[in-house]
Amino acid sequence: MHKSEQLENELLKRAEFTRALAHELKTPLTPILSSSEFLINTVEDDITLGFINNIRQGILNLDKRINELMDMAKGEVGLIKLHCEYIYILNVLKDSIAYFIPEAQKKKQSLILDIPDILPKIYADEDRLTQVILNLLNNASKFTRRNGTITLKAKEENENIIVEVIDTGCGIGESELEHIFEPYSKLKLKKESLSGLGLGLYLAKLFIELHGGKIWVISIKGKGSTFAFSLPIQHNDDIK
């Protein structure tokens, strides 16, 4: 067998194993999540309710990690398909930051939305785009201290929409920046303060590039980071 074919077969096997593993992990979560939601609506004791909410949040976090594993497996073999339509990027940005407000309030962080009054429609998968923005906001919040600031900006430039998430957090060292968009990058860094598998930024890069865009980061250790991505403004005659 040719070396490239062997490599492709190994990749397919690994992707299939990851998808099967994710499915097996996800199956028991459904009844546990349903049970926790039932208990939240029936239990009245505040202390017990607090424990149930912790359980539910843990299940939701685990479900998110499993979804990331499934997306990574699909992405490795080119099975992720975008469901694109013309959308208002302004609405996606406003909805994303509104969804994220409780998380920022919990950490006493300031959220700033810096967007123009008008931006053109873009041809994009709204769910995947929202996933990217929320991932960047979540990362910014995770590495920004209490009373810090997170800014979500957008502008039109050279037939592209540029979206930026700017934080006043701890920043990223040069050696870490080289691998920031690679899968499992957080595990490679071996830092206790980093949680998760490190798939979020890898998937963000995958989804943005599937849209024909680019993603990048500018960071200074100790002074914060700016994660940004561009999306092409496609016109009706560009869509085939």
Side-chain angles (χ1 to χ4, degrees), residues 104-138:
Q105 287 178 336
K106 190 165 62 176
K107 298 182 178 179
K108 299 190 181 303
Q109 295 167 337
S110 299
L111 272 182
I112 298 173
L113 183 60
D114 182 3
I115 56 176
D117 293 330
I118 299 173
L119 281 174
K121 280 185 175 183
I122 59 170
Y123 193 68
D125 184 323
E126 184 171 345
D127 289 340
R128 292 305 192 184
L129 191 53
T130 300
Q131 187 176 342
V132 170
I133 295 169
L134 288 177
N135 177 269
L136 296 182
L137 287 172
N138 184 64

Side-chain angles (χ1 to χ4, degrees), residues 109-110 136-145 148-152 164-172 217-220 222-227:
Q109 295 167 337
S110 299
L136 296 182
L137 287 172
N138 184 64
N139 276 354
S141 177
K142 192 180 296 182
F143 299 110
T144 298
R145 294 183 182 88
T149 301
I150 299 165
T151 304
L152 179 59
E164 296 174 301
V165 175
I166 306 162
D167 67 60
T168 58
C170 57
I172 306 165
V217 57
I218 300 170
S219 186
I220 300 174
K223 294 189 176 180
S225 304
T226 297
F227 281 85

Side-chain angles (χ1 to χ4, degrees), residues 196-213:
L197 296 175
L199 296 180
L201 290 176
Y202 164 77
L203 292 173
K205 182 174 185 289
L206 173 65
F207 296 147
I208 293 302
E209 290 181 349
L210 283 173
H211 279 90

